[in-house]
């Protein structure tokens, strides 16, 4: 049998990386054959912190897949967020917590999705369902995913299942959720090492809807003003990206993980999709209480674009 | 909270009808509110036999849904096989055993699919997972679905899960699988009461792929020659349908449920999608051992069209 590859979305966040490693572990045990975790991009500082803490290697970089390659997708299914060649791969399994859009298969598959805060919460269920023991390292990766995706259970995407999974996983991994979680999240807010061109791609989701294409990117910080100091250069890079990719809209969300607020830099022809609900001044919209791209920003843009 | 509706695909078969009733039962218990089963078309003779045997009412006919209607889909997700207005409904939950194609949501959802023979096999799992007791009537509906979709476990779509579920359900419902199953399947082979126009729509799946649209319809029989006596009239109706709907291909599969073989009437501009693998003579392809549209005919057409 051919090698099976597991991976999350492009511009990987902690859930995409950790859930790939976790799912490869589970699938290896269930199938009795080696299943390989991969990544579709550079690993961010937050994820590096988690991998180092639990002493886990980075998954290998995957640039494209051949026709017929058997793949397992975690934390995404949209083709535009997946690997080159995904249209002609054999998609065997998907575990995700997003909507379904821009996705199709030619054969039946295992697809498990729920509207929870994090993919790892569903993987946690699958370990239990299949009576597979969760090792402390695997528990550590899952809890890192949950902390990252729910911003320590503060995001409106958080469900009771995420909370319960996190508590149980913390016991297995033997970590203090708040202490470890805040350290991990803070590690991800060190944006100084990135040039502006990198910052706008760090965690960027491209959405295509009929003939409209737009990007919603997000960075976490402990100081929005610190990031806004780089506004001029960020705008220059965003405008370059809009031209290069033919985008109608680019929303660059800067989220304060301590106070749970965001401000966004908004550029493109279709800024009206945001300005219907938030005043835009000097290309900036202030969004009090907004931390979730999926639950708060994406539905707003979807509705108005 | 608004009423929640559960339904399977258009041109409903036994799995689509019975799984709707079963899922409405499960969801009513889980949500603590009435969830209503519906149907998207006339009930066939096989399904009527099952409903009568277990003394269950036909679900109500649904012609379209309003914008924002909360819906639960079973046994399908493709919009082209669903109700009018589905694009603007709120799809809350899907339980299915088909591929994913022509389907999208604007929000995360519960989606549970596995490549098993029947939707009811997955519903059986969900009862167990949620520790909900299965009443004998509900067990009877689930086992009818499994017998229908797997042709009494003979179809190549059958998995160990279907087999195990069927055995356990038969105990709960207290029926003899083979005796009841053959009677039910035979009830569905009484095609005399249908005119040709009805026959070609009885269990027809429309597939759209870019600008190509085709139909694969299927009927069960105990005598293929009996159905073939009506070939001329069937061809006339199929050709009318091709013109009216702009179809590239219409495959009308006649399946012998006793001997597990099929013959198909094949019309349209793209009969080459079939003739690459089966000789077509007088518009007829003989297909030994073929009983499954999903596993045997659809992949073949997909590959060649």
């Amino acid at each position: 049998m051919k090698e099976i590859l597991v991976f999350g979305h492009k511009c990987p966040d902690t859930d995409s990386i950790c859930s790939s490693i976790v799912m490869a572990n589970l699938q290896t045990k269930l199938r009795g054959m080696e299943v390989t975790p991969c990544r579709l991009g550079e690993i961010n500082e937050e994820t590096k912190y988690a991998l180092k803490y639990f002493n886990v290697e980075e998954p290998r970089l995957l640039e494209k897949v051949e026709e017929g390659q058997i793949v397992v997708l975690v934390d995404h299914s949209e083709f535009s967020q997946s690997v080159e060649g995904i249209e002609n791969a054999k998609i065997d399994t998907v575990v995700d917590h997003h909507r379904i859009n821009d996705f199709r298969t030619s054969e039946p598959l295992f697809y498990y999705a729920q509207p929870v805060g994090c993919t790892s919460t569903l993987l946690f269920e699958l370990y239990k369902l299949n009576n597979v023991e969760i090792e402390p390292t695997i528990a550590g990766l899952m809890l890192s995913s949950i902390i990252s995706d729910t911003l320590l259970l503060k995001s409106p995407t958080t469900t009771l299942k995420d909370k319960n999974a996190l508590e149980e996983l913390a016991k297995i991994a033997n970590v203090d959720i708040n202490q470890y979680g805040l350290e991990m999240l803070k590690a991800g807010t060190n944006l100084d090492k990135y040039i502006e061109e990198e910052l706008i791609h760090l965690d960027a989701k491209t959405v295509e809807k009929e003939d409209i294409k737009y990007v919603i990117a997000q960075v976490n910080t402990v100081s929005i003003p610190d990031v806004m100091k780089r506004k001029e250069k960020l705008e220059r890079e965003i405008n370059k990206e809009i031209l290069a990719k033919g985008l109608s809209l680019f929303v660059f969300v800067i989220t304060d993980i301590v106070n749970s607020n965001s401000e966004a830099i908004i550029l493109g022809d279709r800024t009206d999709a945001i300005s219907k609900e938030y005043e835009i001044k000097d290309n900036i919209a202030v969004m009090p209480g907004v931390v979730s791209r999926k639950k708060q920003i994406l539905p707003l843009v979807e509705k108005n674009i």
Side-chain angles (χ1 to χ4, degrees), chain A residues 226-282:
Chain A
D226 261 14
V227 184
M228 280 300 182
K229 280 182 196 152
R230 304 167 73 174
K231 178 169 176 271
E232 208 175 306
K233 283 186 182 167
L234 283 166
E235 286 182 347
R236 203 177 308 142
E237 289 305 325
I238 292 170
N239 278 324
K240 264 200 233 168
E241 189 70 5
I242 287 173
L243 268 178
K245 301 272 171 69
L247 303 175
S248 301
L249 177 68
F250 196 113
V251 182
F252 182 75
V253 185
I254 306 155
T255 299
D256 178 336
I257 56 158
V258 178
N259 300 301
S260 302
N261 286 316
S262 294
E263 291 187 21
I265 300 175
I266 294 151
L267 293 167
D269 292 338
R270 295 297 309 274
T271 55
D272 61 291
I274 297 286
S275 65
K276 277 183 187 157
E277 309 225 6
Y278 292 100
E279 189 193 4
I280 301 178
K281 214 172 139 180
D282 292 338

Side-chain angles (χ1 to χ4, degrees), chain A residues 2 37 43 98 158 178 196 218 222:
Chain A
K2 277 186 247 170
I43 292 190
H98 297 87
T158 310
N178 283 306
E196 287 72 18
Q218 188 170 27
V222 286

Side-chain angles (χ1 to χ4, degrees), chain A residues 28-87:
Chain A
T28 296
K29 287 178 174 171
L30 291 178
R31 296 177 193 245
M33 61 175 284
E34 198 63 25
V35 175
T36 311
C38 299
R39 61 184 166 91
L40 302 190
E42 289 310 306
I43 292 190
N44 68 33
E45 292 300 307
E46 180 192 283
T47 313
K48 272 186 190 160
Y49 180 92
L51 295 182
K52 199 174 167 195
Y53 189 96
F54 293 104
N55 196 21
V56 176
E57 267 181 46
E58 294 189 1
R60 84 170 195 235
L61 183 67
L62 186 68
E63 302 210 321
K64 63 176 177 177
V65 292
E66 302 297 324
E67 192 174 336
Q69 170 67 51
I70 303 175
V71 300
V72 172
L73 309 184
V74 290
D75 197 28
H76 79 300
S77 65
E78 296 201 24
F79 285 173
S80 62
Q81 295 165 13
S82 199
V83 75
E84 189 187 329
I86 189 68
E87 293 85 353

Side-chain angles (χ1 to χ4, degrees), chain A residues 50-303:
Chain A
L51 295 182
K52 199 174 167 195
Y53 189 96
F54 293 104
N55 196 21
V56 176
E57 267 181 46
E58 294 189 1
R60 84 170 195 235
L61 183 67
L62 186 68
E63 302 210 321
K64 63 176 177 177
V65 292
E66 302 297 324
E67 192 174 336
Q69 170 67 51
I70 303 175
V71 300
V72 172
L73 309 184
V74 290
D75 197 28
H76 79 300
S77 65
E78 296 201 24
F79 285 173
S80 62
Q81 295 165 13
S82 199
V83 75
E84 189 187 329
I86 189 68
E87 293 85 353
N88 299 313
K90 179 167 165 31
I91 302 168
D92 181 274
T93 298
V94 178
V95 179
D96 191 20
H97 65 129
H98 297 87
R99 65 175 182 162
I100 298 180
N101 186 48
D102 183 26
F103 178 76
R104 62 194 170 278
T105 64
S106 57
E107 284 176 63
L109 72 165
F110 181 103
Y111 200 109
Y112 187 45
Q114 277 194 46
V116 293
C118 178
T119 307
S120 275
T121 301
L122 301 177
L123 297 180
F124 175 70
E125 279 192 7
L126 291 179
Y127 272 87
K128 297 212 139 191
L129 271 177
N130 290 287
N131 290 314
V132 177
E133 196 199 343
I134 302 172
E135 302 150 23
T137 301
I138 294 296
L141 296 176
M142 283 198 258
L143 70 84
S144 300
S145 288
I146 297 173
I147 290 167
S148 170
D149 264 22
T150 65
L151 290 176
L152 257 171
L153 305 178
K154 279 188 202 150
S155 164
T157 56
T158 310
T159 66
L160 189 61
K161 285 192 178 185
D162 301 299
K163 191 172 169 289
N164 291 342
L166 180 57
E167 279 167 12
E168 208 168 317
L169 289 165
K171 278 179 206 153
I172 301 172
N174 193 24
V175 298
D176 179 298
I177 295 169
N178 283 306
Q179 193 189 336
Y180 169 75
L182 213 57
E183 285 307 312
M184 187 196 81
L185 289 175
K186 274 189 188 162
T189 64
N190 178 12
L191 304 176
D192 297 344
K193 61 164 284 196
Y194 299 107
I195 59 170
E196 287 72 18
E197 190 190 342
E198 291 168 330
L199 269 189
I200 67 164
H201 289 108
L202 211 55
D203 179 12
K205 293 230 164 144
T206 303
V207 182
E208 295 191 43
K209 191 186 167 189
E210 284 140 34
D211 52 347
I212 292 174
K213 198 168 156 185
Y214 59 92
V215 171
I216 306 180
Q218 188 170 27
V219 292
N220 291 339
T221 181
V222 286
S223 162
I224 292 177
D226 261 14
V227 184
M228 280 300 182
K229 280 182 196 152
R230 304 167 73 174
K231 178 169 176 271
E232 208 175 306
K233 283 186 182 167
L234 283 166
E235 286 182 347
R236 203 177 308 142
E237 289 305 325
I238 292 170
N239 278 324
K240 264 200 233 168
E241 189 70 5
I242 287 173
L243 268 178
K245 301 272 171 69
L247 303 175
S248 301
L249 177 68
F250 196 113
V251 182
F252 182 75
V253 185
I254 306 155
T255 299
D256 178 336
I257 56 158
V258 178
N259 300 301
S260 302
N261 286 316
S262 294
E263 291 187 21
I265 300 175
I266 294 151
L267 293 167
D269 292 338
R270 295 297 309 274
T271 55
D272 61 291
I274 297 286
S275 65
K276 277 183 187 157
E277 309 225 6
Y278 292 100
E279 189 193 4
I280 301 178
K281 214 172 139 180
D282 292 338
N283 304 327
I284 292 176
V286 177
M287 300 173 157
V290 169
V291 295
S292 168
R293 168 167 50 197
K294 186 165 68 174
K295 201 100 171 182
Q296 296 171 305
I297 301 172
L298 197 58
L300 164 70
V301 176
E302 272 283 304
K303 196 177 76 182

